[in-house]
Amino acid sequence: MLIKRSHAIAQKNHLQSALGALSSGPLDRRAFLRRAGFTAGAVGLAGLPLGSVKRAQAAAANPAISVTTVKSVCTHCSVGCSVIAEVQNDVWVRQEPAFDSPINRGSHCAKGASVREIVKGARRLRTPMKLVDGQWQKITWDTAIDEISAKLLKIRQDQGPDSVFWLGSAKFSNEGAYLFRKMAAFWGTNSADHQARICHSTTVAGVANTWGYGAMTNSYNDIRNSKTMIIMGGNPAEAHPVSLQHILTGKELNRANLVVIDPRFTRTAAHATDYIRIRPGTDIPTIYGILWHVFENKWEDTTFIAQRVYGMDDVRREVAKWTPEEVQKVNGVPGEQLKRVAYMMTHEKPATLIWCMGATQKTVGTANVRAYCILLLATGNVGAPGTGANIFRGHCNVQGATDAGLDVTSLPFYYGLAESAWKHWARVWEVDYDYLLSRFDDKKMMELPGIPTTRWFDAVLSKKEDLDQRNPLRAMLVFGHGGNTVTRMPEMVKGLEALDLLVVADPHPTTFAVVSERKNNTYLLPIATQFETKGSRTASNRSIQWSDRVVPPIWESKDDYEVMYRLAAKLGFADKMFKNIKVENNVPLAEDITREINRGAWSTGYTGQSPERLKAHMANQDKFDLVTLRGKGGDVDGDTYGLPWPCWGTPEQKHPGSHILYNTNQHVKDGGGTFRARFGVERNGVTLLAEGSYSLGSEIKDGYPEVTLGVLKKLGWDGDLTPAERAVIDKIGGATPDTVSWATDLSGGIQRVCIAHGIVPYGNAKARANAFNLPDPVPVHREPIYTSRPDLVAKYPTMPDYRSFRMTNIGGTVQKRAVDLGVVKSFPIVLTSGRLVEYEGGGEETRSNPWLAELQQDMFVEINPADASARGIRDGQMVWVTGAESNSKARVKAQVTERVGPGVAFMPFHFAGWFMGVDQRGKYPKGADPIVLGESVNALTTYGYDPVTAMQETKVTLCQIATAV
Amino acid sequence: MARVKFLCDADRCIECNACVTACKNANEVPWGINRRRVVTINDGRPGERSVSMACMHCNDAPCAAVCPVDCFFTTADGVVLHSKDLCIGCGYCFYACPFGAPQYPKLGNFGSRGKMDKCTYCSGGPEGADGSAAEFAKYGANRMAEGKLPLCAEMCSTKSLLAGDGEIIARIYRERVLKRGYNSGSWGWQTAYQETINV
C-alpha cells in the first residue's frame, strides 16, 4: 500500500508555495493547450501567427512574488455573482468562491465557474486587424484609430452624422455605457443602441409606463420571502442559475408555489410545483384568463386598487371577453389550471411574477409586460417584500447600460431627447447647448429617436426618401455585441455588405466579422473584458457593484474607455467630452466618470453611489443580510447592498438605496417609495395621484405631484434649502426657477428637502392599468405576425402598418400576406428560441472557452416525438430547418424530446459560424475562431417589431423541419 | 477524524454544470476528461431530475478491489486516490465503478488507454509534496491541504452538491428534507457508503 502524507492540515502558506511552484508549467497556457488534445477543427495555440507573446512570458511567475486577491463581478448574466481572482505576476492563476457576497454566496453556474479562462485568451482577438481584399491583416492601434476616424469624418462630411450607427454593449461597465452614449451625443446622432433593445426594451417601456421605472422591483434575494412564484416566459435555471438558489430555498422554506408557464417544459419547470404549457404568443390571453377568475370570484385587492391603481375598470371590460372557453381556444390551457393560479396569487401571498424574454421578444412585447404588471396590481402584489415584478435582465450590465442611456430614445438616465434634457446634460457636461446642437443636422434630428439595433440594416438598405433622416446608414461601429442576435439575418447580411465602414470592437471577432462577403473597410479592435478594466456594473436588482481590475488587458487589447478616448480625440471633441474626467496615458479614469454620473443622474437616483461607497460595499460584503440586503456595522451600516437605485441625493447624504421599489411600508430615507407621478396629475377629470396611500413617515398623507421648487414653495418648504442650493437652482432656472425639479436640480437640495419631510421626490401617484399614451392603452391580444393559427387573425390582428424609429413598420401587411398565402401550410411548426446554461448571448466568448464548449458541441433543434415521427426524423440526426422568409435554412442536429409540445420547435440562440448550411470557420482571423460553431437561429426568424420599442419577434415564428442527408 | 463525502441533493440540482467547469478550472483537466458530470433522467418530461456525479470515494471501493496493480489508496479523510505511476490503464476499475468515475485519455485510434484519471476530492495525489507543481500536473489541485473543499461543491449554484464531513452534510440534508417535507433521496449513498440518511 502506498503511504500518504499524514494529515491534510490547513496551512496558509500552502497556496503561496503551490502557486509559486506552478511557474514551471502546469498552469502555463501553452502547456495546457498542448495537453488538451484538441480534436479536428480546434486549432491549438502553437504556431499562431498573430499577436505578441507577452502573456506567455508573464505566465512564468516568480515564486517570490506574492499572490494578490482581486474581487470582480462575473461578466455573464445579470445576477451579479462576485468573482474572486488570485493573481500572480499579472496572471489570474486561481478562482475562488466569493462566499461573502450576499448575492451568490460563493456559487456560480457553468459560465461563472469558468470565467478565469477568459483572460487566458487562447482564442481572443490579439491585435487590431483590417480586411484587405478579403484577407485579415494585422495593423497597429494607431493605424486603426487613424483610418477609422478619417473614414468616419468623411462619411460625416458627405452624408451627415446620422449616417453612422453606434452599437454599444450591455457588457460595458456603467462608465463605459455612459461614455459611449455621451460620445454619440458629441458626434451628433441619437442612433446609439445596445442589447436592451433586443432583450428587455419592452419590459422597460411597459413597466415604466405602468408605475414609473423600468426595472426589477424587488431582488433575487427578496424572492426568498415569496409564497407564490410565477415564472412566465423565462428559464432561469439555464439563464440565471444562481437565482435558483434563492428561488428553491424560498420554495423549500415557505413551502411556496412555484408555477412555470411556458411553451417549453424547461429545466426550471422540472422544479416547479405547477407547469402550464401555452401556445407561443398567447401571453395576454393567459394573463387575462387568470384575471377573469380573479374578477369573477372577487379575489382582487380592492383597497390596493382604489388607493394606488388608475384605470382598472378599463381592464375589467377587456378581461370580461376572455372567458375560460375563449382562453382555451386561443392558448390551449383549461380554465381550471388558470383558476388555480388566480387562487394562489390572491390567497397565498406574497406572490411574485418573474419574466424574461419569453414575454418581451414579441410584437406585443410591451403589451405583454403591461398585462403582467396589471395582474400584479389587481392582486395587490407590488411594493412589499416577496411581491413584485421580478424581471430577470439578461447581460451582466444590461440594467446599467439601459440606465446610462444606451438607448435611441433617450439621453442618459431616462431624461428623454427634448430640449430640456439636452440642456440638463449640457450643464452637467459643462458644454454649451449650442455646441451640442451644432453637432447634429438640426434641432429636429437632435430630438428624434434614432435607428434601433433591430432594424439598422433596413436603414442601410432603404432609399433615403423612405427614411426620416438625411441619408441611409453608411457606417456601423459595434462595441461588444454579437452579430447573430437580431432576426432576419439574411437581410442583415445584405446590410453589412452595403456598409462603407464596419468596425467591430470586441474581445472576439464576432459573427459580424465573418457572416458577410465584405472584402475591405472592415476593422477588428481587440477590446479588454471587464476583468481587464475597472468600473461599476448594475445587477438586475439595481444593486451596483464595483469591479476591480484582475489583470491588465491581455495581448494588445485595450479597454473601452481608452478606445473611446482615442476615437474622440481623432474625431475632434475629446477635450470637451473629457472636460471633467482625468485621462492618464490615454486611459480615462473610471472613478471620474462615476462621479460625473453622480452629478447628473438625479432622475434615477444614481447620485448617491460614489465610487468610494461602492468600493466599501464590495469590501464589506459579509456585513449584509441575505434576505433584506441591509448592512450591519462598519461603514455600511444601514445601507442596502450595492446601493440599489434610487439612491437619493448626494453621496454625503448617505441614502441607503432602495431594495424594493414603491414600498410604502418604509420611510423614503430608508429606501421606501410610492408609484411615480410621471404622467400628470389628472386625466379627463380623474386623478392620477394616489389616494390615501403614502410612504411611511410622509408629511403629506395623500398623493402628490413630482416636486419642483414651485411645489416646495407651495408647501412652504423652500426655506429649508441652503443658500448655496438655492443659488444653484436659481442659476439653472434663470427666469423661471420654480420649474427646476428634483431631476434637474444639480445641487441635490430639492431631493434633500423632500426626504427630510418624508416625501418621495418623484411624487406619489397611481400605477396605470390604463397607459393612455401607448398604442394599446389596455393590452389586447394580437396574434404573432407568422401565426400557427391564421383563423384567429381576423379577430386578433397585429397592428396596422405605421411609422416609428425613422422607418415604416409593415407588420400588418406582412401578417396579412402570410395569412393570404397560407404560409402555415408550408411552415406548420412554431419556432421559438432561448438560452443554454453553458453559453451567453451571441456565444462567441463562451463558445471559445474549452471548458464550456466541451459541454455543448452541436447546434440543435428540439422537436416533439410526434412531429419527428411524422417526418421520419430520429434523435441525433441532421435536419434542415427552413424559415418562412428569405428562403432561409439551417442544418442542425435533431433532439427529439417531449420538452416541446407537438407543433413547436425550439432552438438555442448562441450559435454562429455556420450560415445557411455553409461552414465559415475559414473566414475568422486565424486562431480567433470559436471552438464550437453552428447555425444561428436568427437566420430563420422573421419580420415583426413591437410598436413602442421596435423589439424583434424571435420567440414565435414558423418553420418546417426535414431530414438532411 | 472526519470522513469526507459527497452528497448531491437532487431536489436542488438544476443541471447548470457549474460543478463540471469548476472542476476544469481548479484542476486544469484537459478536453475529453470529465471528472465530474451531471446526469439527467426523464429529460424533458415531468419527473426530470438531475444529479451531479463523480467518484464518490466509497467506503469499500470496488475500484481498489479489482485493481491488478493495487494502485488505489484511501486517505485518512476517506478520499480514494490512485497512483498514476502504478496505474497501467487496464480499465478494470471502470467496469467495477458503480458511478462511471474513472476516465482515460485516448492515446490512439485503437482504443489503447492512458493512465486512469478521476476526481481526487481536490486532494492532489497520493505521493509527493502537497501542492507541488508535479502533483498538480499529474493529479490537479490540492485544496484539501489548504483546508478548502472541492471547488465543484464550493461553487454549486444552488448548494445542491455538498462536500465535507459526512456527518455534517448528512445533517444539512436532513434539515432540508424536514423543512421541505419531501425528498428524492441521497443519491448514491447506499452504494458508496452503505447507508441512507434517515429523516
Side-chain angles (χ1 to χ4, degrees):
Chain A
M1 192 63 96
L2 292 161
I3 303 301
K4 173 77 174 155
R5 74 258 163 187
S6 55
H7 293 296
I9 300 164
Q11 288 178 1
K12 285 276 180 202
N13 62 356
H14 264 123
L15 176 58
Q16 178 73 27
S17 56
L19 294 172
L22 291 177
S23 61
S24 57
L27 277 192
D28 175 302
R29 60 178 63 84
R30 288 174 181 277
F32 162 72
L33 282 165
R34 275 199 301 276
R35 276 197 300 148
F38 277 60
T39 47
V43 184
L45 184 58
L48 274 185
L50 32 114
S52 74
V53 291
K54 67 182 175 185
R55 302 309 310 154
Q57 286 158 3
N62 181 344
I65 295 175
S66 64
V67 171
T68 52
T69 301
V70 184
K71 196 180 278 179
S72 184
V73 178
C74 179
T75 53
H76 292 297
C77 85
S78 70
V79 174
C81 299
S82 293
V83 168
I84 291 189
E86 291 184 348
V87 181
Q88 193 179 41
N89 201 12
D90 285 345
V91 175
W92 186 351
V93 289
R94 272 181 30 167
Q95 188 181 341
E96 285 292 319
F99 287 120
D100 288 345
S101 164
I103 289 181
N104 64 310
R105 302 162 78 223
S107 298
H108 285 299
C109 68
K111 297 184 291 288
S114 61
V115 287
R116 185 170 67 89
E117 205 282 338
I118 292 170
V119 295
K120 288 172 164 231
R123 283 168 181 267
R124 287 266 294 269
L125 188 62
R126 298 182 184 204
T127 68
M129 310 203 88
K130 96 183 196 191
L131 203 53
V132 180
D133 299 328
Q135 297 296 314
W136 291 111
Q137 276 186 11
K138 179 183 160 180
I139 52 173
T140 65
W141 270 101
D142 286 341
T143 312
I145 298 283
D146 285 348
E147 291 188 13
I148 291 165
S149 48
K151 285 176 194 212
L152 284 172
L153 290 170
K154 178 87 173 37
I155 289 167
R156 183 189 171 88
Q157 194 175 21
D158 298 346
Q159 318 267 333
D162 278 315
S163 286
V164 178
F165 183 54
W166 301 77
L167 184 51
S169 180
K171 296 288 180 200
F172 283 150
S173 61
N174 288 324
E175 291 72 18
Y178 168 82
L179 214 52
F180 197 80
R181 181 65 183 88
K182 191 175 176 183
M183 186 156 75
F186 278 72
W187 170 261
T189 184
N190 291 323
S191 295
D193 212 354
H194 83 297
Q195 284 94 343
R197 177 78 41 216
I198 54 175
C199 72
H200 272 293
S201 63
T202 47
T203 291
V204 175
V207 173
N209 272 300
T210 304
W211 46 50
Y213 284 112
M216 184 175 189
T217 59
N218 295 40
S219 72
Y220 293 108
N221 299 62
D222 180 65
I223 297 171
R224 288 169 178 263
N225 290 316
S226 302
K227 296 233 167 61
T228 294
M229 300 169 272
I230 318 274
I231 301 178
M232 185 163 169
N235 180 16
E238 296 207 61
H240 307 84
V242 173
S243 73
L244 264 284
Q245 183 177 136
H246 303 295
I247 291 172
L248 291 180
T249 310
K251 180 190 168 203
E252 292 172 12
L253 295 180
N254 300 332
R255 304 258 174 126
N257 309 303
L258 175 57
V259 183
V260 172
I261 304 176
D262 207 285
R264 194 165 163 255
F265 183 82
T266 58
R267 296 210 188 287
T268 313
H271 289 270
T273 52
D274 291 73
Y275 167 66
I276 297 171
R277 199 193 286 280
I278 59 171
R279 176 170 70 92
T282 59
D283 307 70
I284 292 169
T286 306
I287 295 289
Y288 283 175
I290 297 169
L291 272 176
W292 190 88
H293 293 286
V294 171
F295 291 144
E296 181 75 8
N297 294 292
K298 302 202 183 330
W299 287 342
E300 67 268 35
D301 188 335
T302 46
T303 312
F304 189 92
I305 294 171
Q307 292 186 327
R308 301 188 71 186
V309 185
Y310 165 81
M312 190 58 87
D313 289 341
D314 302 326
V315 173
R316 285 175 195 272
R317 279 190 286 280
E318 185 63 29
V319 168
K321 300 174 191 166
W322 290 94
T323 59
E325 297 70 37
E326 182 67 8
V327 171
Q328 185 166 5
K329 194 176 114 192
V330 174
N331 73 356
V333 181
E336 277 309 304
Q337 288 187 16
L338 297 181
K339 185 176 182 184
R340 196 172 138 75
V341 178
Y343 182 87
M344 289 176 195
M345 286 198 78
T346 49
H347 292 77
E348 286 155 24
K349 288 162 84 166
T352 178
L353 186 50
I354 296 163
W355 71 82
C356 291
M357 283 143 71
T360 63
Q361 288 185 338
K362 308 254 174 77
T363 48
V364 288
T366 302
N368 280 347
V369 167
R370 292 257 313 120
Y372 288 25
C373 295
I374 288 166
L375 175 60
L376 288 167
L377 290 169
T379 56
N381 279 307
V382 195
T387 68
N390 280 310
I391 304 141
F392 291 1
R393 301 297 300 265
H395 287 293
C396 62
N397 194 35
V398 67
Q399 184 62 50
T402 308
D403 300 334
L406 277 182
D407 178 1
V408 299
T409 65
S410 181
L411 282 162
F413 303 98
Y414 311 103
Y415 278 87
L417 293 170
E419 185 182 319
S420 57
W422 282 104
K423 288 195 164 157
H424 170 75
W425 283 105
R427 284 191 291 271
V428 177
W429 296 336
E430 297 179 14
V431 294
D432 286 339
Y433 168 79
D434 289 333
Y435 168 76
L436 292 170
L437 177 59
S438 74
R439 300 295 297 164
F440 283 80
D441 264 358
D442 54 36
K443 189 161 184 295
K444 179 172 154 272
M445 297 311 294
M446 191 182 192
E447 295 173 10
L448 187 69
I451 306 281
T453 180
T454 44
R455 300 202 62 191
W456 65 266
F457 45 93
D458 285 332
V460 177
L461 301 169
S462 289
K463 293 196 206 88
K464 68 176 173 183
E465 51 271 28
D466 294 336
L467 292 171
D468 301 339
Q469 63 179 36
R470 180 145 56 107
N471 282 302
L473 291 179
R474 300 308 315 158
M476 177 161 78
L477 282 84
V478 187
F479 277 64
H481 199 125
N484 52 343
T485 56
V486 297
T487 53
R488 300 166 60 210
M489 274 180 79
E491 299 286 315
M492 189 275 282
V493 169
K494 285 183 207 159
L496 272 182
E497 286 164 2
L499 284 172
D500 292 339
L501 174 66
L502 172 65
V503 179
V504 177
D506 200 282
H508 294 270
T510 86
T511 316
F512 281 127
V514 298
V515 74
S516 75
E517 295 301 320
R518 289 181 70 83
K519 299 289 179 219
N520 290 290
N521 296 316
T522 307
Y523 294 84
L524 303 180
L525 303 177
I527 300 290
T529 65
Q530 293 299 327
F531 294 119
E532 299 148 67
T533 185
K534 61 182 174 176
S536 66
R537 278 177 275 152
T538 307
S540 198
N541 70 316
R542 297 167 282 107
S543 280
I544 304 173
Q545 302 187 92
W546 188 269
S547 170
D548 275 328
R549 190 177 84 165
V550 175
V551 292
I554 68 164
W555 310 119
E556 290 184 23
S557 303
K558 293 189 183 300
D559 68 18
D560 298 310
Y561 311 132
E562 178 173 355
V563 177
M564 285 186 232
Y565 175 75
R566 282 172 172 246
L567 266 178
K570 289 285 174 189
L571 296 174
F573 48 75
D575 53 333
K576 287 193 170 63
M577 184 173 152
F578 293 88
K579 186 172 179 185
N580 296 311
I581 298 163
K582 192 174 162 195
V583 179
E584 260 178 15
N585 297 325
N586 291 321
V587 183
L589 185 66
E591 285 87 343
D592 272 5
I593 308 172
T594 321
R595 288 185 196 104
E596 188 173 295
I597 292 173
N598 293 155
R599 287 196 297 273
W602 303 96
S603 64
T604 319
Y606 259 91
T607 48
Q609 303 98 332
S610 64
E612 292 72 23
R613 289 186 83 189
L614 295 177
K615 289 176 187 177
H617 278 222
M618 294 307 282
N620 292 284
Q621 284 183 320
D622 59 322
K623 298 192 175 64
F624 292 92
D625 184 82
L626 174 64
V627 182
T628 64
L629 292 178
R630 192 70 77 170
K632 221 178 228 175
D635 292 345
V636 298
D637 193 54
D639 283 0
T640 305
Y641 177 67
L643 300 168
W645 64 259
C647 176
W648 301 117
T650 58
E652 295 71 32
Q653 292 172 23
K654 290 265 176 198
H655 189 271
S658 308
H659 181 203
I660 296 170
L661 291 175
Y662 324 119
N663 182 1
T664 52
N665 303 311
Q666 275 186 329
H667 193 288
V668 59
K669 74 173 167 22
D670 295 322
T674 54
F675 291 133
R676 182 173 169 189
R678 197 174 177 178
F679 308 97
V681 294
E682 66 159 37
R683 177 152 175 102
N684 302 333
V686 178
T687 182
L688 294 174
L689 300 180
E691 295 179 275
S693 163
Y694 46 88
S695 56
L696 187 71
S698 171
E699 291 183 21
I700 304 176
K701 312 283 185 202
D702 206 354
Y704 47 87
E706 62 174 331
V707 179
T708 59
L709 179 64
V711 171
L712 282 189
K713 281 181 179 167
K714 274 187 203 153
L715 292 164
W717 296 343
D718 57 312
D720 295 356
L721 292 166
T722 65
E725 287 165 348
R726 188 58 202 259
V728 172
I729 293 168
D730 287 340
K731 190 166 172 233
I732 293 167
T736 55
D738 282 1
T739 61
V740 175
S741 76
W742 62 285
T744 53
D745 164 21
L746 298 182
S747 75
I750 293 179
Q751 293 197 358
R752 186 183 60 75
V753 171
C754 286
I755 288 157
H757 289 278
I759 69 167
V760 188
Y762 59 62
N764 177 13
K766 286 180 171 171
R768 298 189 307 166
N770 177 336
F772 37 80
N773 55 321
L774 293 183
D776 284 329
V778 171
V780 293
H781 175 56
R782 295 177 180 282
E783 280 292 313
I785 302 277
Y786 288 94
T787 173
S788 58
R789 292 290 303 277
D791 56 310
L792 294 174
V793 168
K795 195 169 180 190
Y796 305 111
T798 193
M799 287 260 166
D801 296 354
Y802 56 90
R803 282 188 81 77
S804 71
F805 297 98
R806 306 186 181 186
M807 281 174 281
T808 305
N809 185 323
I810 56 163
T813 302
V814 177
Q815 188 186 55
K816 183 167 183 309
R817 188 180 138 270
V819 173
D820 292 347
L821 293 177
V823 167
V824 73
K825 294 192 198 88
S826 316
F827 301 95
I829 297 179
V830 180
L831 176 65
T832 187
S833 64
R835 280 206 203 187
L836 299 175
V837 66
E838 291 86 0
Y839 294 147
E840 165 77 3
E844 280 85 1
E845 181 173 275
T846 40
R847 282 183 285 109
S848 299
N849 181 333
W851 302 337
L852 294 168
E854 189 183 351
L855 297 169
Q856 287 287 354
Q857 302 187 19
D858 294 295
M859 173 62 181
F860 61 88
V861 58
E862 287 180 356
I863 176 170
N864 186 273
D867 297 321
S869 97
R871 289 164 176 76
I873 294 168
R874 281 171 290 109
D875 190 39
Q877 179 179 8
M878 295 306 288
V879 293
W880 282 108
V881 185
T882 45
E885 282 178 1
S886 304
N887 296 318
S888 59
K889 57 181 184 175
R891 192 169 183 273
V892 299
K893 262 191 180 164
Q895 179 157 21
V896 179
T897 172
E898 288 169 36
R899 199 175 284 289
V900 287
V904 177
F906 166 88
M907 294 170 86
F909 58 60
H910 312 287
F911 290 81
W914 279 73
F915 188 62
M916 312 267 264
V918 180
D919 180 4
Q920 299 178 312
R921 192 176 289 278
K923 289 165 78 178
Y924 283 89
K926 203 170 173 211
D929 51 327
I931 296 165
V932 169
L933 303 181
E935 294 271 7
S936 306
V937 65
N938 283 322
L940 307 170
T941 49
T942 49
Y943 199 93
Y945 300 98
D946 179 85
V948 182
T949 74
M951 167 63 81
Q952 56 186 356
E953 187 151 79
T954 64
K955 287 290 177 269
V956 46
T957 183
L958 295 174
C959 73
Q960 178 59 294
I961 305 176
T963 56
V965 262
Chain B
M1 188 79 233
R3 195 297 188 215
V4 294
K5 294 176 183 172
F6 277 126
L7 192 158
C8 183
D9 179 350
D11 288 309
R12 287 270 189 103
C13 181
I14 56 171
E15 206 200 337
C16 78
N17 278 321
C19 48
V20 178
T21 60
C23 176
K24 295 258 176 186
N25 193 339
N27 298 302
E28 297 273 1
V29 187
W31 182 285
I33 299 280
N34 285 295
R35 291 181 174 184
R36 181 168 280 288
R37 65 209 132 117
V38 180
V39 178
T40 301
I41 57 162
N42 294 325
D43 192 35
R45 293 202 299 272
E48 175 179 320
R49 279 287 175 275
S50 297
V51 59
S52 174
M53 275 294 154
C55 172
M56 288 289 278
H57 304 277
C58 300
N59 279 350
D60 188 7
C63 52
V66 300
C67 179
V69 295
D70 206 6
C71 79
F72 287 92
F73 168 80
T74 301
T75 72
D77 303 321
V79 176
V80 176
L81 298 176
H82 70 293
S83 164
K84 286 199 179 178
D85 292 343
L86 293 180
C87 173
I88 55 172
C90 69
Y92 285 13
C93 53
F94 178 77
Y95 292 103
C97 177
F99 303 108
Q103 308 270 304
Y104 303 88
K106 194 179 169 204
L107 293 183
N109 287 332
F110 299 100
S112 60
R113 277 186 281 251
K115 302 207 182 260
M116 189 270 275
D117 189 271
K118 72 167 189 69
C119 163
T120 65
Y121 210 86
C122 285
S123 301
E127 74 267 349
D130 289 350
S132 71
E135 181 188 34
F136 187 92
K138 209 191 283 182
Y139 300 105
N142 194 343
R143 299 174 63 80
M144 287 287 277
E146 296 166 38
K148 294 171 178 170
L149 290 167
L151 199 62
C152 53
E154 289 198 324
M155 284 188 173
C156 173
S157 65
T158 58
K159 311 282 180 199
S160 162
L161 182 62
L162 304 176
D165 184 331
E167 286 177 22
I168 295 174
I169 60 175
R171 193 166 73 228
I172 292 170
Y173 182 70
R174 207 174 283 127
E175 280 172 19
R176 282 188 192 176
V177 172
L178 280 171
K179 272 180 190 146
R180 64 168 82 121
Y182 57 88
N183 80 96
S184 48
S186 47
W187 294 47
W189 268 51
Q190 179 63 41
T191 310
Y193 314 127
Q194 292 80 50
E195 64 181 40
T196 49
I197 299 171
N198 297 313
V199 180

